[in-house]
Amino acid sequence: MLLIYTGNGKGKTSASVGQAIRAHGQGLTVAFGQFMKRPGQAGEQKVLSIMLENRFFAGGPGFFRDEEEREKHREAALEVLRWAEDMLAGVDMLVLDEILYAHGHGLVLEDELRSLTEKARTAGAHLVFSGRGLPAWLEQEADLVTEMTEKKHHFVQGRQAAPGIEF
């Protein structure tokens, strides 16, 4: 199955982590890769690296905000993609957090995304994608799409990102 967590609201990574934990708890072999996020940046990374060991990989240099850093971000995205393809041979579920964000910024190309979904089908592995900017073609391919909608957010009230809430 292809499961996608998308939208402008908070909770995409949290849903992906929950999906990974649920699958792991049912005895499925899970791999979890993160685009954009640096190692040691977010709280879930500590738990996932203990639970999944070498099947967890955070390969990003941070969120993409500067065109001058495009090459560095593209190389990091390619590294996560290579890792993900290597994982497909031995897992039941592959979770790729922020892959849609990377795709939306041209760091992961459409043909790479299509190739990865085809390889997962061939390998018999479930895929979980998260991030903003779900392309229509991928929505059509998906078995489940959940869109997180922001109704209210503490950033609008001037509060900063909080450990354990945003990261």
Side-chain angles (χ1 to χ4, degrees):
M1 290 178 55
L2 173 59
L3 302 98
I4 297 176
Y5 299 107
T6 191
N8 291 331
K10 183 183 165 357
K12 296 174 290 294
T13 296
S14 298
S16 298
V17 170
Q19 191 70 62
I21 290 170
R22 175 173 285 165
H24 183 76
Q26 289 293 342
L28 276 66
T29 303
V30 178
F32 195 111
Q34 290 185 312
F35 289 81
M36 316 313 296
K37 297 175 182 174
R38 294 182 308 275
Q41 178 181 3
E44 74 271 4
Q45 293 172 336
K46 293 175 186 176
V47 174
L48 290 169
S49 64
I50 291 167
M51 184 175 89
L52 303 176
E53 298 174 339
N54 68 331
R55 292 187 319 274
F56 173 74
F57 181 59
F63 282 92
F64 180 67
R65 294 186 173 96
D66 186 352
E67 276 298 322
E68 292 178 8
E69 295 185 343
R70 176 170 291 283
E71 186 175 327
K72 174 176 80 171
H73 282 271
R74 172 70 173 146
E75 286 302 316
L78 288 172
E79 185 178 5
V80 178
L81 280 173
R82 285 188 293 269
W83 172 87
E85 288 182 358
D86 288 347
M87 288 289 113
L88 277 174
V91 299
D92 301 304
M93 177 180 284
L94 174 63
V95 181
L96 294 173
D97 185 34
E98 298 294 357
I99 192 169
L100 299 179
Y101 179 96
H103 172 67
H105 286 283
L107 304 172
V108 173
L109 306 178
E110 181 176 330
D111 63 325
E112 294 164 337
L113 206 50
R114 286 182 185 272
S115 174
L116 184 64
T117 58
E118 185 56 39
K119 288 176 182 175
R121 270 192 215 100
T122 300
H126 300 294
L127 277 178
V128 179
F129 289 166
S130 74
R132 295 174 187 222
L134 174 62
W137 67 266
L138 189 57
E139 182 175 348
Q140 292 299 314
E141 300 251 339
D143 298 289
L144 176 143
V145 175
T146 298
E147 185 171 354
M148 310 299 185
T149 304
E150 182 179 315
K151 298 261 184 175
K152 182 177 181 180
H153 201 294
H154 55 273
F155 284 166
V156 177
Q157 300 165 1
R159 292 187 184 162
Q160 297 298 311
I165 305 296
E166 277 81 34
F167 60 93

PDB file of all heavy atoms in Angstrom, residues 87-117:
ATOM      1  N   MET A  87      17.164  -0.179   1.224  1.00  0.00           N
ATOM      2  CA  MET A  87      16.328  -0.733   2.293  1.00  0.00           C
ATOM      3  C   MET A  87      15.187  -1.588   1.747  1.00  0.00           C
ATOM      4  O   MET A  87      14.736  -2.526   2.413  1.00  0.00           O
ATOM      5  CB  MET A  87      15.726   0.386   3.150  1.00  0.00           C
ATOM      6  CG  MET A  87      16.697   1.095   4.065  1.00  0.00           C
ATOM      7  SD  MET A  87      17.214   0.028   5.430  1.00  0.00           S
ATOM      8  CE  MET A  87      18.917  -0.203   5.021  1.00  0.00           C
ATOM      9  N   LEU A  88      14.703  -1.278   0.561  1.00  0.00           N
ATOM     10  CA  LEU A  88      13.508  -1.947   0.036  1.00  0.00           C
ATOM     11  C   LEU A  88      13.618  -3.462  -0.017  1.00  0.00           C
ATOM     12  O   LEU A  88      12.607  -4.152   0.140  1.00  0.00           O
ATOM     13  CB  LEU A  88      13.164  -1.415  -1.358  1.00  0.00           C
ATOM     14  CG  LEU A  88      12.373  -0.116  -1.367  1.00  0.00           C
ATOM     15  CD1 LEU A  88      12.214   0.396  -2.789  1.00  0.00           C
ATOM     16  CD2 LEU A  88      11.025  -0.294  -0.696  1.00  0.00           C
ATOM     17  N   ALA A  89      14.811  -3.978  -0.221  1.00  0.00           N
ATOM     18  CA  ALA A  89      14.972  -5.429  -0.347  1.00  0.00           C
ATOM     19  C   ALA A  89      14.653  -6.169   0.949  1.00  0.00           C
ATOM     20  O   ALA A  89      14.275  -7.337   0.904  1.00  0.00           O
ATOM     21  CB  ALA A  89      16.394  -5.753  -0.799  1.00  0.00           C
ATOM     22  N   GLY A  90      14.763  -5.503   2.090  1.00  0.00           N
ATOM     23  CA  GLY A  90      14.623  -6.234   3.341  1.00  0.00           C
ATOM     24  C   GLY A  90      13.577  -5.710   4.303  1.00  0.00           C
ATOM     25  O   GLY A  90      13.631  -6.015   5.492  1.00  0.00           O
ATOM     26  N   VAL A  91      12.632  -4.894   3.828  1.00  0.00           N
ATOM     27  CA  VAL A  91      11.638  -4.343   4.749  1.00  0.00           C
ATOM     28  C   VAL A  91      10.216  -4.603   4.251  1.00  0.00           C
ATOM     29  O   VAL A  91       9.984  -4.803   3.068  1.00  0.00           O
ATOM     30  CB  VAL A  91      11.828  -2.821   4.990  1.00  0.00           C
ATOM     31  CG1 VAL A  91      13.191  -2.523   5.605  1.00  0.00           C
ATOM     32  CG2 VAL A  91      11.607  -2.010   3.727  1.00  0.00           C
ATOM     33  N   ASP A  92       9.304  -4.561   5.195  1.00  0.00           N
ATOM     34  CA  ASP A  92       7.878  -4.656   4.886  1.00  0.00           C
ATOM     35  C   ASP A  92       7.269  -3.267   4.691  1.00  0.00           C
ATOM     36  O   ASP A  92       6.257  -3.119   4.008  1.00  0.00           O
ATOM     37  CB  ASP A  92       7.128  -5.357   6.026  1.00  0.00           C
ATOM     38  CG  ASP A  92       7.666  -6.743   6.281  1.00  0.00           C
ATOM     39  OD1 ASP A  92       7.696  -7.547   5.327  1.00  0.00           O
ATOM     40  OD2 ASP A  92       8.070  -7.023   7.431  1.00  0.00           O
ATOM     41  N   MET A  93       7.877  -2.256   5.337  1.00  0.00           N
ATOM     42  CA  MET A  93       7.378  -0.887   5.250  1.00  0.00           C
ATOM     43  C   MET A  93       8.549   0.087   5.209  1.00  0.00           C
ATOM     44  O   MET A  93       9.473  -0.017   6.012  1.00  0.00           O
ATOM     45  CB  MET A  93       6.481  -0.535   6.445  1.00  0.00           C
ATOM     46  CG  MET A  93       5.980   0.914   6.433  1.00  0.00           C
ATOM     47  SD  MET A  93       4.919   1.285   7.849  1.00  0.00           S
ATOM     48  CE  MET A  93       3.414   0.450   7.326  1.00  0.00           C
ATOM     49  N   LEU A  94       8.471   1.017   4.280  1.00  0.00           N
ATOM     50  CA  LEU A  94       9.456   2.084   4.161  1.00  0.00           C
ATOM     51  C   LEU A  94       8.731   3.406   4.331  1.00  0.00           C
ATOM     52  O   LEU A  94       7.810   3.721   3.573  1.00  0.00           O
ATOM     53  CB  LEU A  94      10.148   2.026   2.795  1.00  0.00           C
ATOM     54  CG  LEU A  94      11.105   3.167   2.473  1.00  0.00           C
ATOM     55  CD1 LEU A  94      12.285   3.201   3.449  1.00  0.00           C
ATOM     56  CD2 LEU A  94      11.598   3.051   1.027  1.00  0.00           C
ATOM     57  N   VAL A  95       9.132   4.170   5.342  1.00  0.00           N
ATOM     58  CA  VAL A  95       8.548   5.480   5.611  1.00  0.00           C
ATOM     59  C   VAL A  95       9.549   6.537   5.164  1.00  0.00           C
ATOM     60  O   VAL A  95      10.727   6.487   5.551  1.00  0.00           O
ATOM     61  CB  VAL A  95       8.245   5.653   7.119  1.00  0.00           C
ATOM     62  CG1 VAL A  95       7.603   7.008   7.379  1.00  0.00           C
ATOM     63  CG2 VAL A  95       7.372   4.518   7.634  1.00  0.00           C
ATOM     64  N   LEU A  96       9.083   7.493   4.356  1.00  0.00           N
ATOM     65  CA  LEU A  96       9.944   8.573   3.877  1.00  0.00           C
ATOM     66  C   LEU A  96       9.311   9.911   4.239  1.00  0.00           C
ATOM     67  O   LEU A  96       8.432  10.433   3.547  1.00  0.00           O
ATOM     68  CB  LEU A  96      10.197   8.437   2.379  1.00  0.00           C
ATOM     69  CG  LEU A  96      11.012   7.185   2.031  1.00  0.00           C
ATOM     70  CD1 LEU A  96      11.092   6.985   0.532  1.00  0.00           C
ATOM     71  CD2 LEU A  96      12.402   7.247   2.644  1.00  0.00           C
ATOM     72  N   ASP A  97       9.794  10.442   5.343  1.00  0.00           N
ATOM     73  CA  ASP A  97       9.297  11.683   5.915  1.00  0.00           C
ATOM     74  C   ASP A  97       9.834  12.877   5.123  1.00  0.00           C
ATOM     75  O   ASP A  97      11.030  12.948   4.830  1.00  0.00           O
ATOM     76  CB  ASP A  97       9.770  11.749   7.384  1.00  0.00           C
ATOM     77  CG  ASP A  97       9.234  12.928   8.136  1.00  0.00           C
ATOM     78  OD1 ASP A  97       8.086  13.346   7.882  1.00  0.00           O
ATOM     79  OD2 ASP A  97       9.968  13.442   9.019  1.00  0.00           O
ATOM     80  N   GLU A  98       8.951  13.790   4.780  1.00  0.00           N
ATOM     81  CA  GLU A  98       9.260  15.028   4.041  1.00  0.00           C
ATOM     82  C   GLU A  98       9.697  14.792   2.597  1.00  0.00           C
ATOM     83  O   GLU A  98      10.241  15.681   1.959  1.00  0.00           O
ATOM     84  CB  GLU A  98      10.308  15.877   4.777  1.00  0.00           C
ATOM     85  CG  GLU A  98       9.879  16.349   6.141  1.00  0.00           C
ATOM     86  CD  GLU A  98       8.709  17.333   6.162  1.00  0.00           C
ATOM     87  OE1 GLU A  98       8.199  17.738   5.095  1.00  0.00           O
ATOM     88  OE2 GLU A  98       8.296  17.706   7.274  1.00  0.00           O
ATOM     89  N   ILE A  99       9.419  13.617   2.044  1.00  0.00           N
ATOM     90  CA  ILE A  99       9.765  13.379   0.644  1.00  0.00           C
ATOM     91  C   ILE A  99       8.941  14.282  -0.274  1.00  0.00           C
ATOM     92  O   ILE A  99       9.425  14.732  -1.310  1.00  0.00           O
ATOM     93  CB  ILE A  99       9.623  11.892   0.246  1.00  0.00           C
ATOM     94  CG1 ILE A  99      10.268  11.650  -1.131  1.00  0.00           C
ATOM     95  CG2 ILE A  99       8.180  11.430   0.313  1.00  0.00           C
ATOM     96  CD1 ILE A  99      10.419  10.201  -1.510  1.00  0.00           C
ATOM     97  N   LEU A 100       7.706  14.596   0.114  1.00  0.00           N
ATOM     98  CA  LEU A 100       6.886  15.464  -0.727  1.00  0.00           C
ATOM     99  C   LEU A 100       7.402  16.896  -0.710  1.00  0.00           C
ATOM    100  O   LEU A 100       7.344  17.599  -1.724  1.00  0.00           O
ATOM    101  CB  LEU A 100       5.418  15.410  -0.295  1.00  0.00           C
ATOM    102  CG  LEU A 100       4.770  14.032  -0.384  1.00  0.00           C
ATOM    103  CD1 LEU A 100       3.323  14.095   0.086  1.00  0.00           C
ATOM    104  CD2 LEU A 100       4.869  13.467  -1.788  1.00  0.00           C
ATOM    105  N   TYR A 101       7.905  17.344   0.424  1.00  0.00           N
ATOM    106  CA  TYR A 101       8.524  18.665   0.517  1.00  0.00           C
ATOM    107  C   TYR A 101       9.741  18.713  -0.408  1.00  0.00           C
ATOM    108  O   TYR A 101       9.914  19.659  -1.181  1.00  0.00           O
ATOM    109  CB  TYR A 101       8.930  18.934   1.964  1.00  0.00           C
ATOM    110  CG  TYR A 101       9.606  20.265   2.206  1.00  0.00           C
ATOM    111  CD1 TYR A 101       8.867  21.360   2.645  1.00  0.00           C
ATOM    112  CD2 TYR A 101      10.972  20.430   2.024  1.00  0.00           C
ATOM    113  CE1 TYR A 101       9.479  22.577   2.882  1.00  0.00           C
ATOM    114  CE2 TYR A 101      11.587  21.640   2.255  1.00  0.00           C
ATOM    115  CZ  TYR A 101      10.846  22.716   2.684  1.00  0.00           C
ATOM    116  OH  TYR A 101      11.452  23.920   2.913  1.00  0.00           O
ATOM    117  N   ALA A 102      10.559  17.672  -0.347  1.00  0.00           N
ATOM    118  CA  ALA A 102      11.752  17.608  -1.209  1.00  0.00           C
ATOM    119  C   ALA A 102      11.348  17.576  -2.681  1.00  0.00           C
ATOM    120  O   ALA A 102      11.969  18.243  -3.520  1.00  0.00           O
ATOM    121  CB  ALA A 102      12.598  16.388  -0.847  1.00  0.00           C
ATOM    122  N   HIS A 103      10.298  16.825  -2.998  1.00  0.00           N
ATOM    123  CA  HIS A 103       9.819  16.770  -4.382  1.00  0.00           C
ATOM    124  C   HIS A 103       9.292  18.137  -4.829  1.00  0.00           C
ATOM    125  O   HIS A 103       9.581  18.586  -5.946  1.00  0.00           O
ATOM    126  CB  HIS A 103       8.733  15.708  -4.523  1.00  0.00           C
ATOM    127  CG  HIS A 103       8.059  15.715  -5.853  1.00  0.00           C
ATOM    128  ND1 HIS A 103       8.714  15.376  -7.018  1.00  0.00           N
ATOM    129  CD2 HIS A 103       6.795  16.048  -6.207  1.00  0.00           C
ATOM    130  CE1 HIS A 103       7.878  15.490  -8.039  1.00  0.00           C
ATOM    131  NE2 HIS A 103       6.710  15.900  -7.565  1.00  0.00           N
ATOM    132  N   GLY A 104       8.545  18.792  -3.987  1.00  0.00           N
ATOM    133  CA  GLY A 104       7.963  20.091  -4.321  1.00  0.00           C
ATOM    134  C   GLY A 104       9.001  21.158  -4.617  1.00  0.00           C
ATOM    135  O   GLY A 104       8.732  22.106  -5.359  1.00  0.00           O
ATOM    136  N   HIS A 105      10.186  21.000  -4.067  1.00  0.00           N
ATOM    137  CA  HIS A 105      11.283  21.956  -4.299  1.00  0.00           C
ATOM    138  C   HIS A 105      12.251  21.467  -5.371  1.00  0.00           C
ATOM    139  O   HIS A 105      13.320  22.054  -5.552  1.00  0.00           O
ATOM    140  CB  HIS A 105      12.015  22.237  -2.985  1.00  0.00           C
ATOM    141  CG  HIS A 105      11.226  23.101  -2.060  1.00  0.00           C
ATOM    142  ND1 HIS A 105      11.096  24.451  -2.218  1.00  0.00           N
ATOM    143  CD2 HIS A 105      10.466  22.781  -0.983  1.00  0.00           C
ATOM    144  CE1 HIS A 105      10.315  24.951  -1.275  1.00  0.00           C
ATOM    145  NE2 HIS A 105       9.915  23.946  -0.515  1.00  0.00           N
ATOM    146  N   GLY A 106      11.882  20.384  -6.048  1.00  0.00           N
ATOM    147  CA  GLY A 106      12.716  19.890  -7.141  1.00  0.00           C
ATOM    148  C   GLY A 106      13.968  19.167  -6.687  1.00  0.00           C
ATOM    149  O   GLY A 106      14.884  18.956  -7.479  1.00  0.00           O
ATOM    150  N   LEU A 107      14.010  18.748  -5.431  1.00  0.00           N
ATOM    151  CA  LEU A 107      15.172  18.030  -4.902  1.00  0.00           C
ATOM    152  C   LEU A 107      15.041  16.531  -5.131  1.00  0.00           C
ATOM    153  O   LEU A 107      16.039  15.821  -5.182  1.00  0.00           O
ATOM    154  CB  LEU A 107      15.347  18.340  -3.412  1.00  0.00           C
ATOM    155  CG  LEU A 107      15.460  19.832  -3.088  1.00  0.00           C
ATOM    156  CD1 LEU A 107      15.439  20.048  -1.585  1.00  0.00           C
ATOM    157  CD2 LEU A 107      16.702  20.440  -3.721  1.00  0.00           C
ATOM    158  N   VAL A 108      13.816  16.061  -5.242  1.00  0.00           N
ATOM    159  CA  VAL A 108      13.499  14.690  -5.660  1.00  0.00           C
ATOM    160  C   VAL A 108      12.632  14.852  -6.898  1.00  0.00           C
ATOM    161  O   VAL A 108      11.591  15.518  -6.855  1.00  0.00           O
ATOM    162  CB  VAL A 108      12.739  13.907  -4.565  1.00  0.00           C
ATOM    163  CG1 VAL A 108      12.266  12.563  -5.092  1.00  0.00           C
ATOM    164  CG2 VAL A 108      13.621  13.721  -3.333  1.00  0.00           C
ATOM    165  N   LEU A 109      13.050  14.275  -7.999  1.00  0.00           N
ATOM    166  CA  LEU A 109      12.368  14.444  -9.274  1.00  0.00           C
ATOM    167  C   LEU A 109      11.212  13.461  -9.426  1.00  0.00           C
ATOM    168  O   LEU A 109      11.194  12.405  -8.784  1.00  0.00           O
ATOM    169  CB  LEU A 109      13.363  14.281 -10.417  1.00  0.00           C
ATOM    170  CG  LEU A 109      14.607  15.174 -10.336  1.00  0.00           C
ATOM    171  CD1 LEU A 109      15.537  14.888 -11.505  1.00  0.00           C
ATOM    172  CD2 LEU A 109      14.221  16.643 -10.284  1.00  0.00           C
ATOM    173  N   GLU A 110      10.260  13.810 -10.274  1.00  0.00           N
ATOM    174  CA  GLU A 110       9.082  12.960 -10.468  1.00  0.00           C
ATOM    175  C   GLU A 110       9.470  11.554 -10.904  1.00  0.00           C
ATOM    176  O   GLU A 110       8.923  10.575 -10.386  1.00  0.00           O
ATOM    177  CB  GLU A 110       8.141  13.579 -11.498  1.00  0.00           C
ATOM    178  CG  GLU A 110       6.895  12.756 -11.711  1.00  0.00           C
ATOM    179  CD  GLU A 110       5.889  13.384 -12.658  1.00  0.00           C
ATOM    180  OE1 GLU A 110       5.821  14.634 -12.744  1.00  0.00           O
ATOM    181  OE2 GLU A 110       5.168  12.605 -13.315  1.00  0.00           O
ATOM    182  N   ASP A 111      10.411  11.437 -11.834  1.00  0.00           N
ATOM    183  CA  ASP A 111      10.786  10.097 -12.292  1.00  0.00           C
ATOM    184  C   ASP A 111      11.437   9.289 -11.171  1.00  0.00           C
ATOM    185  O   ASP A 111      11.275   8.069 -11.112  1.00  0.00           O
ATOM    186  CB  ASP A 111      11.662  10.148 -13.542  1.00  0.00           C
ATOM    187  CG  ASP A 111      12.991  10.824 -13.340  1.00  0.00           C
ATOM    188  OD1 ASP A 111      13.083  11.798 -12.571  1.00  0.00           O
ATOM    189  OD2 ASP A 111      13.966  10.381 -13.980  1.00  0.00           O
ATOM    190  N   GLU A 112      12.143   9.940 -10.259  1.00  0.00           N
ATOM    191  CA  GLU A 112      12.736   9.244  -9.112  1.00  0.00           C
ATOM    192  C   GLU A 112      11.649   8.753  -8.159  1.00  0.00           C
ATOM    193  O   GLU A 112      11.734   7.642  -7.628  1.00  0.00           O
ATOM    194  CB  GLU A 112      13.716  10.163  -8.385  1.00  0.00           C
ATOM    195  CG  GLU A 112      14.921  10.500  -9.230  1.00  0.00           C
ATOM    196  CD  GLU A 112      15.722  11.676  -8.732  1.00  0.00           C
ATOM    197  OE1 GLU A 112      15.183  12.538  -7.989  1.00  0.00           O
ATOM    198  OE2 GLU A 112      16.908  11.750  -9.106  1.00  0.00           O
ATOM    199  N   LEU A 113      10.635   9.584  -7.961  1.00  0.00           N
ATOM    200  CA  LEU A 113       9.521   9.208  -7.097  1.00  0.00           C
ATOM    201  C   LEU A 113       8.728   8.054  -7.708  1.00  0.00           C
ATOM    202  O   LEU A 113       8.383   7.086  -7.024  1.00  0.00           O
ATOM    203  CB  LEU A 113       8.626  10.432  -6.887  1.00  0.00           C
ATOM    204  CG  LEU A 113       7.784  10.538  -5.641  1.00  0.00           C
ATOM    205  CD1 LEU A 113       8.586  10.287  -4.382  1.00  0.00           C
ATOM    206  CD2 LEU A 113       7.129  11.903  -5.584  1.00  0.00           C
ATOM    207  N   ARG A 114       8.476   8.126  -8.999  1.00  0.00           N
ATOM    208  CA  ARG A 114       7.763   7.043  -9.691  1.00  0.00           C
ATOM    209  C   ARG A 114       8.570   5.741  -9.643  1.00  0.00           C
ATOM    210  O   ARG A 114       8.017   4.668  -9.406  1.00  0.00           O
ATOM    211  CB  ARG A 114       7.480   7.435 -11.137  1.00  0.00           C
ATOM    212  CG  ARG A 114       6.370   8.473 -11.293  1.00  0.00           C
ATOM    213  CD  ARG A 114       6.117   8.767 -12.772  1.00  0.00           C
ATOM    214  NE  ARG A 114       5.167   9.829 -12.965  1.00  0.00           N
ATOM    215  CZ  ARG A 114       3.847   9.671 -13.036  1.00  0.00           C
ATOM    216  NH1 ARG A 114       3.325   8.460 -12.912  1.00  0.00           N
ATOM    217  NH2 ARG A 114       3.053  10.710 -13.241  1.00  0.00           N
ATOM    218  N   SER A 115       9.870   5.852  -9.853  1.00  0.00           N
ATOM    219  CA  SER A 115      10.734   4.675  -9.811  1.00  0.00           C
ATOM    220  C   SER A 115      10.713   4.032  -8.423  1.00  0.00           C
ATOM    221  O   SER A 115      10.633   2.811  -8.295  1.00  0.00           O
ATOM    222  CB  SER A 115      12.158   5.062 -10.202  1.00  0.00           C
ATOM    223  OG  SER A 115      13.032   3.979 -10.036  1.00  0.00           O
ATOM    224  N   LEU A 116      10.775   4.849  -7.388  1.00  0.00           N
ATOM    225  CA  LEU A 116      10.766   4.339  -6.020  1.00  0.00           C
ATOM    226  C   LEU A 116       9.446   3.624  -5.710  1.00  0.00           C
ATOM    227  O   LEU A 116       9.454   2.538  -5.122  1.00  0.00           O
ATOM    228  CB  LEU A 116      10.995   5.480  -5.031  1.00  0.00           C
ATOM    229  CG  LEU A 116      11.108   5.085  -3.571  1.00  0.00           C
ATOM    230  CD1 LEU A 116      12.335   4.211  -3.326  1.00  0.00           C
ATOM    231  CD2 LEU A 116      11.163   6.330  -2.702  1.00  0.00           C
ATOM    232  N   THR A 117       8.321   4.205  -6.125  1.00  0.00           N
ATOM    233  CA  THR A 117       7.041   3.546  -5.858  1.00  0.00           C
ATOM    234  C   THR A 117       6.943   2.223  -6.608  1.00  0.00           C
ATOM    235  O   THR A 117       6.417   1.243  -6.071  1.00  0.00           O
ATOM    236  CB  THR A 117       5.838   4.453  -6.196  1.00  0.00           C
ATOM    237  OG1 THR A 117       5.896   4.846  -7.562  1.00  0.00           O
ATOM    238  CG2 THR A 117       5.814   5.693  -5.316  1.00  0.00           C
TER     239      THR A 117
END
